[in-house]
Amino acid sequence: MNIEESLLYSFGAETKFFKKGEVIFREGDQVLYYFQIVEGKIKLNNYNEEGKEFIHNILGKNQSFGDSLIFLDKQYPMNATCLSPTELIRLPKNSFLEMLEKNPDISIEMNHCLSQRLYYKMVMIQNMASSNPAVRLKGLLNYLRSFHHDDCDHCFSVELTRQQIANLVGLRVETVIRALKKMEQEGVIKIHNRKILY
């Protein structure tokens, strides 16, 4: 979701700058803000009891996060960490809710965005249940490509490292590399200069 910046500022939003590796919020922190990315990249992640990372999502320019949690009196179930220098707009929770009350068209757009996220979460859960790495990877690639409007084969460039992909689908990086090579042999993807094209 991407809300007009001038509207966010008119309700008291502020610009915040973060360095690469800096944490925006931690699992267990109270939900206090709506966040919108102006520039940069962030990851939403957790670590299991053995310290293995699981990435829920990687978001970039003009995407938002934290919005689905604003309506609950809960704490963040994940961390948000900057993957690059990042500029964010953040709007306090109460101001965000006031903005929605006064701008019901944004609520409708937000419902559409949240519905899309829920749909792909369900699809990803189904894919994650598969023991076939290619099924998991194809599910992730379809999800990532859904945010772009190119319809041609092999024209969507995946801007993730092999390790990030592994953490997103819950596989070891070696398994991901083998599965990607097999998918390339089958013509599902192309790999050019280490970039995955889907």
Side-chain angles (χ1 to χ4, degrees), residues 3-17:
I3 298 171
E4 187 63 45
E5 291 181 15
S6 58
L7 181 63
L8 292 170
Y9 288 123
S10 73
F11 279 88
E14 60 183 350
T15 303
K16 298 293 279 182
F17 295 91

Side-chain angles (χ1 to χ4, degrees), residues 29-85:
D29 286 352
Q30 196 62 40
V31 176
L32 299 174
Y33 298 99
Y34 163 84
F35 296 96
Q36 188 164 293
I37 303 168
V38 177
E39 203 62 54
K41 214 177 246 192
I42 67 108
K43 69 177 173 180
L44 302 174
N45 72 342
N46 290 90
Y47 295 92
N48 70 13
E49 58 279 351
E50 288 132 27
K52 184 175 191 252
E53 181 182 35
F54 179 79
I55 298 176
H56 296 274
N57 211 340
I58 293 179
L59 302 166
K61 185 175 181 172
N62 296 329
Q63 291 184 296
S64 62
F65 59 100
D67 36 348
S68 60
L69 301 167
I70 277 183
F71 301 98
L72 305 171
D73 190 23
K74 302 275 185 194
Q75 293 151 341
Y76 289 111
M78 66 196 86
N79 309 298
T81 307
C82 297
L83 293 172
S84 65

Side-chain angles (χ1 to χ4, degrees), residues 16-150:
K16 298 293 279 182
F17 295 91
F18 295 86
K19 297 177 189 150
K20 179 180 178 179
E22 200 169 347
V23 175
I24 300 161
F25 58 75
R26 284 186 166 70
E27 184 177 352
D29 286 352
Q30 196 62 40
V31 176
L32 299 174
Y33 298 99
Y34 163 84
F35 296 96
Q36 188 164 293
I37 303 168
V38 177
E39 203 62 54
K41 214 177 246 192
I42 67 108
K43 69 177 173 180
L44 302 174
N45 72 342
N46 290 90
Y47 295 92
N48 70 13
E49 58 279 351
E50 288 132 27
K52 184 175 191 252
E53 181 182 35
F54 179 79
I55 298 176
H56 296 274
N57 211 340
I58 293 179
L59 302 166
K61 185 175 181 172
N62 296 329
Q63 291 184 296
S64 62
F65 59 100
D67 36 348
S68 60
L69 301 167
I70 277 183
F71 301 98
L72 305 171
D73 190 23
K74 302 275 185 194
Q75 293 151 341
Y76 289 111
M78 66 196 86
N79 309 298
T81 307
C82 297
L83 293 172
S84 65
T86 301
E87 178 183 350
L88 294 177
I89 297 173
R90 75 177 191 186
L91 181 63
K93 178 179 178 173
N94 290 339
S95 301
F96 181 78
L97 294 172
E98 179 188 350
M99 181 189 67
L100 291 182
E101 268 182 44
K102 293 182 177 174
N103 297 275
D105 53 319
I106 294 174
S107 286
I108 291 169
E109 185 183 336
M110 187 173 191
N111 284 336
H112 174 78
C113 181
L114 293 175
S115 294
Q116 184 180 26
R117 286 185 196 169
L118 276 173
Y119 171 78
Y120 280 104
K121 280 280 186 199
M122 285 185 244
V123 170
M124 287 300 292
I125 287 169
Q126 288 173 339
N127 291 330
M128 295 287 281
S130 174
S131 58
N132 183 341
V135 170
R136 291 187 187 195
L137 291 171
K138 194 161 184 195
L140 174 65
L141 295 175
N142 286 335
Y143 170 72
L144 295 172
R145 191 167 68 177
S146 74
F147 293 101
H148 299 276
H149 302 294
D150 297 329

